[in-house]
Structures are given as C-alpha cells and as structure tokens.
Amino acid sequence: MSSAQAPDQPRKRMPRAEREKQILGVAERVFANAGYQSTSMDEIAAEVGLSKPMLYEYFGSKEGLLLACLQRCKRELLEATSHAAAAAEGPEQLLYDCLLAFFRFSDDHGQAWALLRNEFSLPDASVNTELESIRIQQRDFTAGLLGNIRSDLDDEQLEAFAESIIGACERLALWREQRPEVTAEKATEHLMSLMAPSLAAGL
C-alpha cells in the first residue's frame, strides 16, 4: 500500500436500540407484504444486512420478531390517540380527534395496520393474544374517553359502547381499502353521525 492510501477505517457498530428499530422496520414491511407464513428469517436478515444467527440473537424466533412488531404497533397507536386526546377541546372534539387519529394511523402506518388486520393468517396463540391486547388497550382507552362524555353510563355500558366503537373503526378502516376516495376525515364524520344520537346526553 502506498503512503498516499489511507488505511481502512473500521466500520462503526450500530447501537443495539438503533439496530432493533431497523430490524423491526424491515420485518414489519416484509410481514405485511408477504404474510407471516411466507416470510423467512433468511429474507429479513438479508434485507437488514445481518446474519440469521444474529437476527435470532436479537428476537429469538420469527414469532418473537412478529410479537415485537405488534408491540411497537400497540405503542404507536396508543401514542397517536393519546396525543389527539390531550390536544382536544370539549367532549365532541375529543371523540372526533381520537377517531380521526385512528384512521390516520391506518393511513400513515399502512404496514403496521396490515399486520393488525391479518390476524387470520397468524394462528399462533401468543400472537393472537397480543393482537387482542391491542384491542383491549384501545377499548379501555375509548371507555375512558366516553366516561368523560357520558357520566351517566356505568362501567358495563362504557365497555359495551367502547367495544362497538373499536369494532366499527376496524370495519370502516377495512372498507376504506376498497374505497380510497373516503378520507380519514370523511370516515370520522360518518362514524360521528352514527354515534351522535347515543352520545347526545353528553354532547
């Protein structure tokens, strides 16, 4: 090597948290596009630029990697709806903004939403348990919002209303995949129109 050539610089090691974030981003996209069953750890490792043993060192198994993706979706969805709730003024705006945040989440995080809605292709019990925990999280969050709007409702009624709203949001989000002209705002308006009579006592 001539004196004019610089010695090879050692590659900087990526911090673990940053590497995990990178892996989850790739895995979420691959799982969403190809489906859980059709995805291999070899494929994800190759896209990330890691060996498969190193990928297993981070998440243990393909199931563990999928669960980590779902847990990130769960955090991000709660963050989105909580942020909307914190900024709202008045009960009607509170509910509207939180519904809108859900529909925007399905738009802005299409790969995460694809993981959440493809539960029938995920037969593993622990995966389905994690999916259900996401619904329960949002149900409890929604019940808390409704309690601020309708103080006359008991806990059972609040939970029943919240379950209905979560189910309606999921179905509308799926419907919008076939009706791309329906914006997140329009979907929110449709749902508010449906719920307004039941919530009139608090609005």
Side-chain angles (χ1 to χ4, degrees), residues 12-150:
K12 186 176 180 180
R13 186 180 181 87
M14 185 180 292
R16 185 179 181 90
E18 187 176 343
R19 176 67 79 183
E20 287 184 354
K21 183 178 180 181
Q22 179 196 30
I23 294 170
L24 289 175
V26 170
E28 185 179 298
R29 173 173 53 79
V30 175
F31 282 139
N33 292 337
Y36 175 70
Q37 301 294 352
S38 299
T39 296
S40 71
M41 292 290 270
D42 292 283
E43 180 181 1
I44 294 171
E47 290 212 28
V48 174
L50 288 177
S51 66
K52 187 165 72 169
M54 182 62 71
L55 189 57
Y56 276 101
E57 182 178 320
Y58 275 90
F59 295 100
S61 64
K62 186 169 81 164
E63 177 193 319
L65 179 54
L66 177 62
L67 287 171
C69 288
L70 292 173
Q71 287 159 3
R72 186 172 76 158
C73 295
K74 180 179 178 180
R75 290 193 302 272
E76 290 178 347
L77 179 56
L78 183 60
E79 287 170 3
T81 48
S82 297
H83 180 75
E89 296 182 4
E92 184 173 5
Q93 193 67 41
L94 175 70
L95 187 56
Y96 179 93
D97 287 354
C98 289
L99 293 174
L100 180 60
F102 172 84
F103 291 119
R104 284 181 173 170
F105 179 88
S106 68
D107 288 345
D108 297 340
H109 300 80
Q111 292 163 359
W113 168 243
L115 287 181
L116 298 180
R117 65 173 166 75
N118 287 335
E119 61 184 285
F120 295 115
S121 65
L122 307 171
D124 189 88
S126 59
V127 172
N128 282 311
T129 297
E130 186 60 37
L131 284 166
E132 185 59 24
S133 77
I134 295 172
R135 288 196 178 92
I136 292 171
Q137 167 191 272
Q138 292 307 116
R139 180 202 69 195
D140 292 346
F141 177 77
T142 304
L145 295 180
L146 292 174
N148 293 327
I149 298 171
R150 289 287 304 271

Side-chain angles (χ1 to χ4, degrees), residues 165-181:
I165 291 170
I166 296 302
C169 284
E170 289 184 0
R171 290 305 307 173
L172 270 180
L174 287 170
W175 173 69
R176 288 183 62 226
E177 292 183 8
Q178 309 304 317
R179 297 288 299 272
E181 73 277 11

